[in-house]
Amino acid sequence: MNLHRKAVGFLLLSAPFLALLDHSRAAAQEVEPGWKNVAELTLVLTGGNATSRTFGFKNTADYRWPNASFQLSAGGVRAEAGTVTRTATGTPANFTVNESTDTKTTAESYFLKSRLDRTVSDAMFLFAGAGWDRNTFAGVDNRYTAVAGGGRTWFEEESRRLKTDVGLTYTLQDDVVENPDVNDSFLGLRASYDYFRSLTGTTDFASVLVADENLNETEDLRLNWTNSLTVAMSERLALKTSYQILYDNQPALVGVPLQGGGTVLAPLGKTDSVFSVAIV
């Protein structure tokens, strides 16, 4: 068994034992029906001799019923960097410097996803969802995914939560550079855990791992692992720091110029990471 599969198996199988970190068992909280919305905003601007702009957003809307819940989330990040070019006209003793800025996009990704959960017992639930994402710098122009399966709620209280689930997926993927040896649609298997813990009255920790396996090509394994720490600043505002790891064992291809002329296709890197600080 490959090393990356051993690591994924360990993370998913060990998720239930995160409960051992909790020594107190608070009473279960009744879920109040209705909407809940959380928005995140990240903005970084630099100017002067070098210019850059990074904008990120995420919005998650939840609707709760006594035995079901619906979630709709969307988000994205875009980063641009500007290169200043200077030219001079005139003579060495009398000249004028002209400046021009060439701005290029250095990172860009977006996503939209929805999910419906239905409780069937005190601990078990069924779910179905669909989503779309784009990350052209990782070689993905459009990826559409549908998923359905079941899971278990190990505990869900005001101060802590742990859920695990497994489902079958169907994916349709359009790459920026087409790989003739890979099917653009395939069935898959998805497993995930969702862990939340209130550390103090103002600080929360969350960890979410999603593992997707292509059943047509088992080497095509993808991971999305996000850990975050949120500190409340007021009743409505908080500061959230998160670190996300995106892993693709069979990444998309990119065209690389060949010395002497021509272009060859080479795989992109397998791992991307995103560190962000946002106002929530």
Side-chain angles (χ1 to χ4, degrees):
M1 182 180 290
N2 293 336
L3 179 60
H4 72 268
R5 291 213 180 118
K6 290 182 180 179
V8 174
F10 173 78
L11 288 170
L12 294 177
L13 292 175
S14 65
F17 298 100
L18 290 172
L20 296 177
L21 298 176
D22 298 295
H23 299 291
S24 62
R25 296 190 57 84
Q29 302 292 319
E30 292 292 333
V31 176
E32 183 178 351
W35 284 104
K36 177 183 178 182
N37 192 82
V38 178
E40 301 178 21
L41 180 64
T42 302
L43 180 63
V44 178
L45 301 173
T46 64
N49 292 308
T51 62
S52 67
R53 292 178 292 184
T54 300
F55 174 73
F57 74 95
K58 181 180 179 182
N59 192 88
T60 302
D62 291 274
Y63 191 87
R64 296 293 184 97
W65 294 273
N67 296 316
S69 65
F70 172 75
Q71 183 180 87
L72 179 65
S73 58
V77 61
R78 179 184 176 91
E80 297 178 343
T83 301
V84 178
T85 301
R86 296 178 176 86
T87 58
T89 57
T91 65
N94 184 16
F95 60 86
T96 301
V97 176
N98 302 306
E99 295 184 354
S100 63
T101 302
D102 182 21
T103 302
K104 294 183 178 180
T105 302
T106 57
E108 187 177 27
S109 64
Y110 304 98
F111 75 89
L112 174 66
K113 60 182 179 180
S114 62
R115 172 167 167 152
L116 179 65
D117 288 51
R118 171 70 179 180
T119 301
V120 294
S121 71
D122 290 341
M124 308 302 293
F125 61 88
L126 300 176
F127 74 95
W132 164 86
D133 67 277
R134 170 179 292 169
N135 189 344
T136 54
F137 285 84
V140 178
D141 194 26
N142 290 289
R143 179 160 54 205
Y144 304 91
T145 306
V147 59
R152 176 183 174 88
T153 301
W154 300 90
F155 46 80
E156 186 171 16
E157 300 156 1
E158 186 176 3
S159 62
R160 60 179 193 160
R161 178 184 69 246
L162 177 60
K163 293 183 177 181
T164 57
D165 60 55
V166 178
L168 290 174
T169 64
Y170 179 76
T171 301
L172 179 62
Q173 180 170 316
D174 297 324
D175 290 337
V176 176
V177 177
E178 182 180 357
N179 187 342
D181 299 325
V182 175
N183 292 327
D184 60 1
S185 60
F186 51 87
L187 291 174
L189 181 67
R190 175 181 296 180
S192 71
Y193 76 70
D194 182 347
Y195 178 69
F196 166 85
R197 179 66 164 132
S198 182
L199 302 179
T200 69
T202 58
T203 305
D204 299 330
F205 170 77
S207 178
V208 179
L209 171 66
V210 180
D212 281 304
E213 178 78 82
N214 183 344
L215 296 180
N216 294 351
E217 180 64 45
T218 57
E219 288 299 313
D220 185 14
L221 173 69
R222 298 186 305 277
L223 299 178
N224 186 339
W225 192 20
T226 304
N227 294 279
S228 62
L229 197 66
T230 304
V231 179
M233 298 185 297
S234 68
E235 291 184 359
R236 292 185 175 273
L237 291 178
L239 186 66
K240 181 178 180 180
T241 303
S242 62
Y243 183 66
Q244 181 184 32
I245 298 176
L246 298 169
Y247 175 82
D248 190 342
N249 192 55
Q250 195 173 76
L253 301 178
V254 63
V256 180
L258 186 66
Q259 289 186 351
T263 302
V264 296
L265 297 180
L268 290 162
K270 294 185 177 182
T271 305
D272 291 313
S273 61
V274 181
F275 177 80
S276 65
V277 178
I279 297 295
V280 180

